[in-house]
Amino acid sequence: MATGTGRPWWAPPPYSTPESPSASPFPSPPSSFTAEPPAEFLCPISGSLMADPVIVPPGQTFERASIQACAALAFSPPAVAADLAASVSSSSPLVLVPNVALRTAILNWCDRLGLPHPAPLSPDTAHDIVRRLMPREDHQSSTNSPSPRPQAAAASSVRVRRQQSVDGFVQQRGEALEEEIMAVFGPEGGATLAVQASAMALLRQATRENREVRRQLCTPRLLAALRPMLLSPDAGVQANAAAAVVNLSLEPENKSRIVRSGAVSPLVDVLRGGHNPEARDHAAGAIYSLAVEDENRAAIGVLGAIPPLLELFAGGGGSGAGGSAVGYRARREAGMALYHVSLSGMNRSKLARAPGAVRTLLAAAEARDRNNEADAAALRRLAVMVLANLAGCADGRAALMDGGAVAAVARLMRGGAAAPGSAEEEYCISALYGMSRGSMRFRGLARAAGVEAALQPVADSGGGVGRDMARRTLRAMRGEDDEAPGAVAAGMLGRQWDDGSVVSEGLLSIRRPPHRSNYGAGTAGSNTTQF
């Protein structure tokens, strides 16, 4: 991975800057200049700079024409992983996903060095390259047979050997990449923004593609080097650093390491800033991913993540200059982060005391969007999930009743936003049940809001935890429930809240949204599946 010149392998070799003040920002290099592209820019099959890179499951990237030629000739080169080899040699069509992020990085690298953009390989050229890689007998059979197939036993042996080779390569790649990054951010320092940008873009790419690389790169010294990049004045460096943290956090064993490294504080600062929307969105995703781990939640709350997450969930763009409104994806990430953070009893009180918290949650719970009702419904569900958590502590119950939550939740149930039998309804019942615990004030508010009309159909239903909570809430409204909070049989309702009241274990896990998929290496808006 090293170049042998004392510079990182992704950094361009130095060249003489033209003396003319009117020269292009990407001047042509001298005739003696030799560009050495990063290994990730080269097709593993043709060895040439990729013009049309595509991702093939399970995540490898090739030049489109090269992998198509392999499929056409039913040949699996050594660079192809074992599980991909089966796809290449099968009759089913390959699924090719354009790697837009890598293509952009290649073009930017060419522009920075004044090099021409690579041209796509023609099908004939790609076939010639693949034929030269094939053993003689395979080459001959490919010209005579449209669909050759190796023997099963031989193919299995080849796949085992190839997988062993791939595993060894991945380990070496992770170790080498860490060393190269530390060479940039080592004691001598002095890395320019351009070098930092290249390093962060490639770190983001590397952590996106391979789980083993993510495990190997999550080391204390690399995380320490990554922290200042989260606060970089360069928008691209900051966004790629935040996305790399998200990717690293996808591995369960990495989550606690990242929090212990001190990365949460700069992530919170990115959330507060608001001047870099892409970095802000990635920071919210990172905090959500880290908060999935129980032991991280208290630390995330202590480090001040709750107020900026609330602002983001409300649709605000941050307090910094140039703050911009946010879309559904960023609000969803912030909402999921709030939900997981508020599973901690300590954080429920912090959330209850946060200015405007209840107002923000109720506004989201009752919001409608005629243009995109599906997104609005997903945000409503997140809001009532957090409301149900907030009702699990005395401070939260007081804040909810002060903020009009009793009437708002009743409206959700009576108006159909929380449909009968839905997850939203069950979380609404949980919130009402929590607010009813040991509170004389709840009785008057519930009667005025028509809670009985909302809960009675549930209480009369066939069964389930929701019915039991609805019945107990109705008894509390009528003054019939004289049992102390927390006295409900554990077998009926599950585990206790932090203050002695009880929340259903079933309700805590009802239809939780699926865990996030990893971030890609590329442009803004990269918080969906891989890209």
Side-chain angles (χ1 to χ4, degrees):
M1 301 292 286
T3 62
T5 60
R7 57 178 169 80
W9 54 268
W10 57 72
Y15 56 85
S16 301
T17 303
E19 297 179 359
S20 172
S22 60
S24 165
F26 300 110
S28 299
S31 59
S32 60
F33 170 79
T34 301
E36 184 177 350
E40 280 76 6
F41 291 2
L42 304 179
C43 174
I45 297 172
S46 67
S48 60
L49 197 63
M50 288 186 281
D52 188 10
V54 293
I55 302 171
V56 185
Q60 287 182 278
T61 297
F62 301 93
E63 177 70 23
R64 182 186 296 272
S66 297
I67 196 66
Q68 287 177 335
C70 288
L73 298 173
F75 173 66
S76 301
V80 175
D83 44 2
L84 176 57
S87 300
V88 170
S89 60
S90 71
S91 58
S92 59
L94 281 175
V95 178
L96 304 179
V97 180
N99 194 332
V100 178
L102 182 58
R103 184 174 184 274
T104 300
I106 292 171
L107 298 182
N108 290 341
W109 180 81
C110 292
D111 290 342
R112 190 167 64 250
L113 300 184
L115 300 175
H117 292 180
L121 288 177
S122 68
D124 291 340
T125 301
H127 277 68
D128 289 341
I129 291 173
V130 172
R131 286 192 182 98
R132 287 196 295 269
L133 296 175
M134 297 169 64
R136 182 174 299 276
E137 58 272 19
D138 288 351
H139 183 182
Q140 291 174 350
S141 64
S142 69
T143 59
N144 300 324
S145 172
S147 181
R149 294 290 185 271
Q151 296 297 320
S156 177
S157 176
V158 169
R159 283 195 296 269
V160 170
R161 292 197 301 270
R162 183 181 291 122
Q163 187 60 52
Q164 291 172 344
S165 175
V166 169
D167 291 343
F169 169 76
V170 168
Q171 181 176 0
Q172 294 174 6
R173 179 189 179 196
E175 294 171 354
L177 183 57
E178 180 185 4
E179 292 302 325
E180 295 291 352
I181 292 175
M182 296 313 301
V184 173
F185 303 112
E188 67 279 4
T192 64
L193 278 178
V195 172
Q196 291 176 7
S198 297
M200 289 299 100
L202 287 166
L203 176 62
R204 180 179 180 179
Q205 174 77 12
T207 55
R208 184 188 69 83
E209 290 184 339
N210 190 279
R211 296 184 63 185
E212 189 58 37
V213 168
R214 288 196 288 269
R215 294 188 183 104
Q216 292 179 8
L217 287 179
C218 195
T219 63
R221 64 173 186 158
L222 190 139
L223 291 172
L226 191 56
R227 283 200 311 271
M229 297 300 99
L230 292 168
L231 302 177
S232 171
D234 182 87
V237 170
Q238 188 181 56
N240 285 330
V245 174
V246 177
N247 291 342
L248 290 170
S249 73
L250 295 176
E251 304 309 316
E253 60 267 41
N254 290 352
K255 296 181 188 294
S256 296
R257 298 176 193 169
I258 294 171
V259 172
R260 288 196 297 267
S261 76
V264 173
S265 290
L267 288 171
V268 171
D269 288 341
V270 174
L271 279 179
R272 290 195 184 109
H275 62 277
N276 186 344
E278 184 187 1
R280 174 199 62 198
D281 297 354
H282 293 328
I287 291 175
Y288 157 36
S289 182
L290 296 172
V292 170
E293 182 67 36
D294 291 357
E295 67 180 77
N296 293 340
R297 292 168 185 159
I300 291 171
V302 167
L303 292 169
I306 290 174
L309 285 173
L310 275 169
E311 184 175 4
L312 190 59
F313 186 57
S319 58
S324 59
V326 297
Y328 163 73
R329 176 176 61 85
R331 295 184 66 191
R332 180 200 65 200
E333 298 293 300
M336 285 306 304
L338 284 170
Y339 169 73
H340 284 281
V341 167
S342 63
L343 288 173
S344 163
M346 178 187 301
N347 289 335
R348 290 182 195 136
S349 295
K350 293 181 183 297
L351 179 59
R353 294 192 295 267
V358 173
R359 182 175 63 251
T360 294
L361 294 171
L362 293 180
E366 297 190 278
R368 297 291 185 274
D369 186 348
R370 293 181 179 178
N371 296 325
N372 199 333
E373 179 57 24
D375 288 353
L379 295 176
R380 287 199 299 270
R381 173 182 294 191
L382 286 172
V384 295
M385 289 165 65
V386 180
L387 288 171
N389 284 349
L390 193 55
C393 72
D395 288 340
R397 288 192 284 274
L400 288 172
M401 286 187 279
D402 287 343
V406 176
V409 172
R411 284 196 300 270
L412 289 175
M413 295 184 67
R414 293 199 315 269
S422 67
E424 288 84 352
E425 182 189 62
E426 291 171 326
Y427 280 110
C428 285
I429 295 169
S430 179
L432 291 171
Y433 172 76
M435 287 186 283
S436 74
R437 297 298 84 199
S439 173
M440 296 291 293
R441 182 184 175 196
F442 174 81
R443 298 178 186 179
L445 293 173
R447 292 192 189 99
V451 168
E452 183 171 3
L455 289 182
Q456 196 63 55
V458 182
D460 294 339
S461 64
V465 173
R467 183 202 64 177
D468 295 332
M469 283 193 170
R471 289 180 175 179
R472 293 190 63 81
T473 305
L474 289 171
R475 286 200 294 270
M477 286 177 56
R478 300 163 185 158
E480 299 171 0
D481 191 354
D482 297 326
E483 293 180 277
V488 183
M492 182 175 76
L493 287 179
R495 82 181 200 199
Q496 290 191 339
W497 275 334
D498 56 310
D499 60 356
S501 57
V502 179
V503 66
S504 160
E505 190 70 54
L507 283 176
L508 281 176
S509 60
I510 286 169
R511 304 189 188 107
R512 288 183 182 176
H515 188 61
R516 67 188 329 281
S517 53
N518 45 333
Y519 279 52
T523 58
S526 57
N527 179 16
T528 60
T529 55
Q530 295 183 6
F531 52 134

